Amino acid sequence: MIMTYRQLGGSGLKVSALSLGAWVTFGKQIGNPTARRLMHTAYDAGVNFFDNAEAYADGQAEIVMGQILRKAGWRRSSYLVSSKVFFGAEGDRPNEDGLSRKHVVEACHAALRRLQVDYLDLYFCHRPDPVVPIAETARAMHDLIVQGKVLYWGTSEWSAAQIAEAQAVCVRLGLHPPVMEQPQYNLFHRARVEKEYAPLYREFGLGTTIWSPLASGLLTGKYSRGIPKGSRLATPGLEWLRDIAAGPEAAQRLAAVAKLAEIAAELNTTLPRLGVAWCLKNPHVSTVILGASKVTQLQENLGALEVVDRLTPAMMSRLDRISQPVAD
Ligand code: NDP
């Protein structure tokens, strides 16, 4: 399996087609030795991007990742690490979350301390903040870039209109513009990446670092006979996620997963590899962020690189016919 690299949208940055994220797992669901093995397995396979956020395990995910990075001793130039600001980490007093200049700057400093690095390669606004002017957030991001604490800034789950407004503000004020967005994208969640953002790729060269490529595991087939012990949907605190496997639309989606399993068998591959490879077929996806609670899952999913070429236009049409009716 040979890693490939893609430009992050119109920027000069090269990001591995597959990357690794810390949500739910680092500092929470898995022990630190497993987190370490996951990062080493990824890095050894050519992954160069590790995704994190102030909110993941209330800052603990960044602490764990920082310790692993320090011990690994990898050249700083050989990997990218991100943080995201919005939800807060340590406290819940006013200004300890959101996208005000105060919190954007303080959250950056806190992430640098936790991750034990001098700069963040990518820094995302984790959600839009309706009470903060976009110009205030954009100028705070610009200043962090000028100070060398952040290299590229972007957004996560912003609407196309909000991203376009941020671009316009940056042009008007002469600020570094956002270069990437982090949206959810998988066979069951397509509209925003494929339709809503379409003008943004053309007009601004927007890059995307997409999340939940396997819909939190639903697309692996693991929920086809209930919720297994130890899986994400059985994890305390994540009850709100259970609807994807047990809610009103779940039956239709599980039926679609069964059809996808037949196609995976036809292609001589597995469901997780098919799901990840399908995301990689979209040229507007700069990197697919993988999540894994076990090294074997990560190894399995990295194998998706070998499946991409098997997804011919005819096969993509068949996958569309299964996914379109159940996707939002
Ligand atoms: P996925 O949709 O791929 O879900 C990953 C989970 O599915 C794993 O932790 C594991 O859970 C299960 N799984 C994965 N592969 C397999 C396999 N081969 N066999 C069986 N089970 C498998 O991705 P995530 O939802 O984890 O998202 C990836 C990353 O994206 C996150 O770590 C984070 O960095 C980012 N993200 C960003 C968000 C944002 O708002 N910007 C939101 C969410 C994620 P288990 O073993 O516990 O069942």
Side-chain angles (χ1 to χ4, degrees):
M1 182 256 323
I2 295 170
M3 184 57 68
T4 54
Y5 298 85
R6 298 181 175 191
Q7 294 301 131
L8 182 65
S11 83
L13 194 69
K14 285 185 173 55
V15 61
S16 48
L18 298 177
S19 44
L20 179 67
W23 182 52
V24 182
T25 50
F26 283 47
K28 197 167 176 172
Q29 188 191 7
I30 62 176
N32 298 355
T34 304
R36 190 182 64 77
R37 284 197 300 276
L38 285 170
M39 283 184 68
H40 280 261
T41 302
Y43 187 82
D44 291 347
V47 164
N48 77 348
F49 170 40
F50 299 102
D51 185 61
N52 222 318
E54 60 167 352
Y56 293 170
D58 295 329
Q60 201 57 35
E62 292 186 338
I63 291 174
V64 171
M65 191 174 274
Q67 288 166 349
I68 295 167
L69 287 172
R70 185 171 50 77
K71 281 204 190 116
W74 298 325
R75 286 189 315 283
R76 184 64 184 88
S77 53
S78 69
Y79 65 87
L80 314 170
V81 67
S82 73
S83 183
K84 308 187 203 82
V85 54
F86 177 75
F87 291 107
E90 285 144 19
D92 55 6
R93 292 196 164 221
N95 302 315
E96 294 192 311
D97 59 13
L99 298 181
S100 66
R101 178 177 184 82
K102 180 169 170 68
H103 188 60
V104 166
V105 169
E106 289 177 349
C108 175
H109 291 164
L112 293 175
R113 273 196 303 275
R114 288 189 292 258
L115 288 163
Q116 304 189 46
V117 291
D118 297 328
Y119 57 90
L120 301 171
D121 298 277
L122 308 181
Y123 192 34
F124 295 87
C125 298
H126 211 157
R127 291 293 181 269
D129 187 337
V131 302
V132 177
I134 285 182
E136 176 175 335
T137 304
R139 193 175 285 284
M141 286 291 186
H142 171 87
D143 290 345
L144 289 170
I145 289 176
V146 170
Q147 292 163 15
K149 292 172 184 165
V150 167
L151 303 189
Y152 300 87
W153 79 275
T155 56
S156 179
E157 295 297 342
W158 283 31
S159 69
Q162 288 162 329
I163 296 170
E165 186 186 343
Q167 291 283 347
V169 162
C170 289
V171 169
R172 197 171 70 238
L173 301 176
L175 306 175
H176 283 287
V179 307
M180 72 285 175
E181 155 66 37
Q182 187 168 129
Q184 183 179 174
Y185 187 56
N186 55 57
L187 274 154
F188 292 158
H189 193 89
R190 306 176 50 169
R192 180 163 256 181
V193 165
E194 293 179 6
K195 297 199 179 84
E196 186 186 332
Y197 290 165
L200 306 180
Y201 309 127
R202 284 195 302 272
E203 286 168 36
F204 309 116
L206 187 75
T208 64
T209 65
I210 64 112
W211 60 267
S212 282
L214 296 173
S216 273
L218 190 63
L219 283 161
T220 67
K222 72 193 301 173
Y223 296 112
S224 297
R225 281 177 299 279
I227 297 181
K229 264 198 200 140
S231 64
R232 177 176 295 180
L233 298 195
T235 304
L238 292 178
E239 290 77 10
W240 56 273
L241 252 183
R242 277 185 209 155
D243 268 4
I244 65 165
E249 286 160 20
Q252 271 182 311
R253 291 192 170 181
L254 290 173
V257 170
K259 289 187 205 154
L260 293 170
E262 286 169 21
I263 294 200
E266 231 180 274
L267 290 172
N268 201 18
T269 188
T270 61
L271 262 174
R273 287 183 180 185
L274 176 64
V276 171
W278 178 87
C279 297
L280 286 170
K281 285 296 280 189
N282 185 330
H284 298 300
V285 168
S286 316
T287 184
V288 172
I289 311 177
L290 302 175
S293 68
K294 297 184 178 68
V295 173
T296 47
Q297 293 174 354
L298 179 61
Q299 286 164 334
E300 164 74 24
N301 300 353
L302 288 167
L305 290 166
E306 290 165 3
V307 180
V308 179
D309 287 346
R310 290 179 226 168
L311 300 185
T312 60
M315 184 52 78
M316 288 299 277
S317 305
R318 281 176 66 192
L319 293 170
D320 265 350
R321 285 197 292 278
I322 298 171
S323 130
Q324 294 281 13
V326 290
D328 49 37

